[in-house]
Amino acid sequence: MVYKIKRLFFISLLFAVSVAISEKKLVEIKFNDITDVQKLVDLNIDLDHHRTFNSVHAFVSNGEFDIISKLNFEIEYIPNQARIYYEELKENTQNSRNPMEDYHNYVELTDFLEDIATNYPDITHLKSIGQSVQGRELWVMEISDNPGTNEIEPEFKYVANMHGDETVGRELSLYLIEWLVSGYGNNQRATDLINNTDIFIMPTMNPDGFENGSRYNANGVDLNRDFPDQFSDPNNTTMGRQPETRAVMEWSWDQHFVLSANMHTGALVANYPFDGPNSGVYSASPDDDLFVHISLAYADAHPDMASGGFSNGITNGAQWYAVSGGMQDWNYVWESDCDITLEQNEVKFPNSNQLPGLWEDHREPMLVYLEEVHDGVRGVITDIDSGEPLNANISIQGIDHDIFPDPENGDYYRLLTPGTYTISASVFGYLTESATVTVPITGYVEQNFTLSLDPWLAEAEIEDFEEGIFSDLGWGFDGSANWATDNTVVFEGNYSVKSGNINENEESSMSIELDVIEDGQISFYKKVSCESTGSVTGNYYDYLAFFIDGVEIDKWAGEIDWSLESFPVNAGIHTFKWLFIKDGGVTSGSDAAWVDYIVLPPISTNEECGSGDINGDEINNVLDVVLLVNCILGSECETCQADINQDETVNVLDVVLLVNSILN
């Protein structure tokens, strides 16, 4: 077994030096057992979604072809029909004014979108969210009754053509745009969609791939394997990703998409999360019932999808074939966006004369799916006193997947299947509010939340560094560089604290010793930017760690945005330490960590009780005696100062002692 592992590792190293930088070719790989596919996955072979129990299609380089052959797989090249049709189309139309027949090349697509934006300026906004490897604009068309304005309404997106040679969705996007804008004011359905939804359509995520007749972008990368992945790449960062992927991620961060789909070809099925792990079995997300529901909404509206070889025309991604780095899982896991993959035609690059018929087949499914964004429960979350929006966690009892509101307006949209649910809104520092709602068969139920500040937090000891310095609670520092306050990266207010500026094989720590007077917890917000190694395996290199009494409680690596951590603490004297450490290897991100808004457990502040200064004016006099007598007679007073002899009872003896102290 050790020999096999070493052999696979050696072969993986060979890939790094033997794979030629050229267009990968389509092959069929045959095997004796379905478990053999894992060997191909371990070698990062680009598997296609055509799969049986004894064969799979893949895209391989010449070097990969040779290595797979040496592993005793039966492998052979097969015609890539999409590429063949592309070459014929280019050859037949090279001197034509219609270079791609009914397909739109990049220039024609740009002209089409610009014409729409010019002719419908009140309901459209055309924007480039970035550029491809070869400098082509990544166009997005927004369609709304107030384009460019963040209204209190759900945001929806369609993304097409992320595989350059899967072309149907590219053209269906243009058909859909034209149907919507031309129907506004004339067609009630189109008018309602535009008035009540912020619709975004990206006809091509991979314009270079389309122009080159290739699945890949111009760097030879499969864009649907380039996103963060919860199983193999759990770092929600754009670092090291392709420009097209970075653009889509940053665009998604700027918006607040609720529902979306990405459009492909090569099969006829609606595919839903999870896409991994590579187990070959059904991998259900927490919202599996919802994903089945919205996938069926699309498939049931299509005239032939149920006959595409999949039960009811839908499939779970991992059960069909696993994908690492796919866009649909990224949207759901990190972005609170329910996303599915639509395989819209079994032929990847069909003859252009089939496009009108494909639009007729997919028009109703695309509209029905878009309308699903209006089902479930929605509302606005605000502060009860100020009325300002709050960035809350929206949770559903029994479904382990929270969503978040739009931070600008506080509006949220929780997609749910019909039924009765308990929904809660929680914000750190506020009292959680819950409600029971019944989601109708179609449409939504509205549930607003107005949250009140948690009175306990108002009395808690909080270290938020808002004076630009560490408090006088007794902070200590160790390592090669001290932690310091930082006003450039903060969770709340104007300051956080940042780990020291350290080099390789150095560390920076801050610590505090506290007398905890009763059981409680310590909470804080942390942010990390460093090498991600270890975030999956546990074998960390660079990381932030938190210790209680010298025992490591948890640690974190990679690109982690502000997130809350809470740990229980028993009464007693404890030392709390935050340590950022860097090994001798990779430099990644900012190589730093930040901490902010530390809520300490109940602690002794060493306040001097029994002083007799009842009114807190720092002078003991006859007024304090009067207040003490009133306290004994039943008036409200500060027991700490009134209990002169510290016997936990305020009585006449305390009056005697206070009078004596004044006379003396």
Side-chain angles (χ1 to χ4, degrees):
M1 184 64 182
V2 173
Y3 168 75
K4 290 182 179 179
I5 293 174
K6 289 182 176 179
R7 186 165 180 251
L8 281 174
F9 177 71
F10 175 70
I11 293 172
S12 296
L13 290 178
L14 283 179
F15 272 3
V17 297
S18 67
V19 173
I21 302 176
S22 62
E23 180 69 34
K24 293 186 177 183
K25 298 177 182 177
L26 186 63
V27 298
E28 182 176 54
I29 304 171
K30 295 182 178 179
F31 41 78
N32 296 322
D33 192 284
I34 189 67
T35 59
D36 289 338
V37 174
Q38 184 60 46
K39 298 177 184 177
L40 302 173
V41 172
D42 292 339
L43 296 172
N44 294 318
I45 299 300
D46 190 357
L47 301 179
D48 200 12
H49 44 50
H50 179 87
R51 180 174 302 186
T52 69
F53 286 106
N54 53 24
S55 70
V56 66
H57 287 182
F59 293 87
V60 301
S61 66
N62 294 335
E64 289 172 330
F65 186 99
D66 293 339
I67 292 172
I68 292 170
S69 298
K70 293 176 183 177
L71 288 176
N72 297 319
F73 285 96
E74 184 179 340
I75 180 172
E76 62 180 1
Y77 290 111
I78 58 176
N80 185 338
Q81 297 299 331
R83 182 72 186 189
I84 292 171
Y85 178 66
Y86 167 79
E87 297 291 354
E88 291 176 351
L89 197 59
K90 295 285 283 187
E91 176 65 26
N92 294 338
T93 62
Q94 59 180 337
N95 296 316
S96 169
R97 292 185 178 181
N98 188 17
M100 297 296 289
E101 294 184 352
D102 287 340
Y103 285 104
H104 292 71
N105 66 13
Y106 173 72
V107 173
E108 293 171 323
L109 181 142
T110 300
D111 289 343
F112 174 92
L113 296 175
E114 289 179 340
D115 285 346
I116 292 288
T118 299
N119 293 327
Y120 300 92
D122 293 336
I123 58 170
T124 64
H125 176 66
L126 181 62
K127 173 184 177 180
S128 171
I129 62 169
Q131 292 185 327
S132 66
V133 172
Q134 294 179 336
R136 295 182 175 91
E137 304 296 340
L138 301 175
W139 294 118
V140 169
M141 177 67 77
E142 179 185 5
I143 306 174
S144 169
D145 58 338
N146 289 292
T149 301
N150 184 10
E151 298 181 274
I152 298 181
E153 62 184 21
E155 297 181 17
F156 176 95
K157 76 171 183 283
Y158 273 128
V159 174
N161 198 212
M162 65 189 305
H163 288 151
D165 63 349
E166 297 179 15
T167 57
V168 171
R170 177 185 177 106
E171 298 302 322
L172 295 186
S173 296
L174 304 186
Y175 277 110
L176 179 61
I177 289 171
E178 190 165 41
W179 184 91
L180 287 167
V181 299
S182 63
Y184 187 69
N186 305 311
N187 178 299
Q188 191 61 51
R189 192 179 190 186
T191 303
D192 288 345
L193 280 170
I194 293 173
N195 283 342
N196 300 303
T197 323
D198 205 357
I199 304 167
F200 295 82
I201 300 174
M202 184 180 196
T204 176
M205 181 180 166
N206 187 3
D208 297 351
F210 180 84
E211 296 298 314
N212 297 322
S214 170
R215 172 187 182 88
Y216 306 97
N217 77 344
N219 284 334
V221 174
D222 185 331
L223 298 179
N224 206 31
R225 308 293 188 273
D226 194 43
F227 284 85
D229 186 274
Q230 62 178 326
F231 301 107
S232 61
D233 180 18
N235 297 288
N236 192 22
T237 172
T238 59
M239 293 178 58
R241 308 194 192 279
Q242 295 300 302
E244 298 90 348
T245 310
R246 292 198 303 269
V248 168
M249 291 177 67
E250 290 168 354
W251 169 47
S252 298
W253 291 338
D254 288 340
Q255 304 300 140
H256 189 72
F257 294 116
V258 176
L259 180 65
S260 61
N262 62 93
M263 296 185 275
H264 294 253
T265 47
L268 189 60
V269 66
N271 171 20
Y272 56 90
F274 284 134
D275 271 337
N278 188 60
S279 60
V281 299
Y282 199 110
S283 180
S285 74
D287 279 295
D288 190 62
D289 288 345
L290 173 65
F291 277 116
V292 169
H293 175 82
I294 61 177
S295 299
L296 282 173
Y298 193 98
D300 288 348
H302 189 279
D304 299 316
M305 191 167 278
S307 62
F310 299 86
S311 177
N312 298 313
I314 68 174
T315 184
N316 172 258
Q319 188 177 35
W320 180 24
Y321 83 109
V323 167
S324 176
M327 186 163 69
Q328 72 174 12
D329 279 17
W330 173 75
N331 273 309
Y332 176 70
V333 172
W334 276 283
E335 303 308 312
S336 298
D337 174 16
C338 292
D339 187 50
I340 68 172
T341 300
L342 300 172
E343 301 284 350
Q344 295 174 312
N345 191 54
E346 290 173 332
V347 176
K348 289 189 175 185
F349 206 144
N351 191 292
S352 65
N353 61 21
Q354 296 179 29
L355 294 174
L358 288 168
W359 165 240
E360 289 301 315
D361 288 346
H362 285 278
R363 177 179 57 202
E364 184 63 17
M366 291 178 73
L367 293 173
V368 166
Y369 185 78
L370 198 165
E371 289 165 337
E372 287 290 320
V373 78
H374 293 287
D375 289 352
V377 57
R378 64 173 64 173
V380 178
I381 305 170
T382 55
D383 181 292
I384 194 170
D385 296 318
S386 68
E388 292 297 313
L390 294 175
N391 192 16
N393 278 40
I394 310 299
S395 59
I396 302 295
Q397 185 175 315
I399 302 178
D400 186 21
H401 184 74
D402 292 355
I403 67 160
F404 311 95
D406 186 316
E408 183 175 343
N409 297 319
D411 53 322
Y412 74 93
Y413 307 87
R414 190 25 164 127
L415 301 184
L416 292 166
T417 57
T420 300
Y421 302 88
T422 298
I423 182 171
S424 299
S426 58
V427 180
F428 183 67
Y430 286 78
L431 296 174
T432 296
E433 293 286 339
S434 300
T436 299
V437 296
T438 299
V439 176
I441 294 176
T442 58
Y444 64 88
V445 59
E446 185 170 333
Q447 178 62 56
N448 298 318
F449 291 97
T450 52
L451 303 187
S452 303
L453 284 171
D454 188 337
W456 170 82
L457 195 64
E459 300 175 0
E461 186 74 31
I462 298 173
E463 173 65 278
D464 58 4
F465 314 103
E466 283 311 289
E467 294 184 4
I469 58 174
F470 287 83
S471 69
D472 59 1
L473 290 174
W475 288 95
F477 306 94
D478 198 6
S480 303
N482 290 346
W483 287 62
T485 54
D486 183 2
N487 63 357
T488 62
V489 178
V490 300
F491 167 71
E492 64 85 40
N494 298 311
Y495 288 93
S496 68
V497 287
K498 180 183 179 183
S499 58
N501 185 18
I502 58 175
N503 298 312
E504 295 179 356
N505 297 313
E506 293 182 344
E507 60 185 49
S508 171
S509 72
M510 66 175 183
S511 60
I512 188 170
E513 182 179 271
L514 299 173
D515 182 6
V516 179
I517 58 176
E518 61 181 76
D519 293 352
Q521 67 178 19
I522 184 169
S523 303
F524 57 89
Y525 281 86
K526 56 102 176 45
K527 178 180 173 68
V528 183
S529 176
C530 68
E531 180 183 1
S532 63
T533 302
S535 55
V536 176
T537 65
N539 183 26
Y540 289 77
Y541 295 158
D542 304 349
Y543 57 89
L544 170 68
F546 176 65
F547 298 79
I548 299 179
D549 300 330
V551 177
E552 184 182 276
I553 305 301
D554 207 345
K555 58 186 174 184
W556 308 272
E559 293 293 328
I560 304 174
D561 204 358
W562 287 111
S563 51
L564 176 66
E565 301 295 338
S566 295
F567 303 100
V569 181
N570 296 326
I573 297 177
H574 297 285
T575 300
F576 305 98
K577 182 173 78 170
W578 292 261
L579 168 71
F580 184 74
I581 188 168
K582 181 168 174 53
D583 77 335
V586 177
T587 294
S588 181
S590 301
D591 274 331
W594 293 261
V595 172
D596 199 358
Y597 209 83
I598 305 172
V599 181
L600 302 171
I603 62 174
S604 170
T605 58
N606 296 319
E607 184 181 33
E608 184 181 353
C609 288
S611 68
D613 184 15
I614 313 299
N615 62 356
D617 64 357
E618 300 183 358
I619 300 173
N620 287 2
N621 54 30
V622 69
L623 182 56
D624 295 302
V625 175
V626 173
L627 293 173
L628 178 54
V629 171
N630 288 338
C631 180
I632 296 171
L633 294 176
S635 297
E636 186 175 340
C637 67
E638 177 55 59
T639 305
C640 171
Q641 304 301 338
D643 185 13
I644 311 299
N645 61 358
Q646 295 293 285
D647 63 356
E648 299 183 359
T649 303
V650 178
N651 53 31
V652 68
L653 182 57
D654 296 300
V655 177
V656 173
L657 293 173
L658 178 56
V659 171
N660 288 338
S661 70
I662 294 171
L663 295 176
N664 291 329

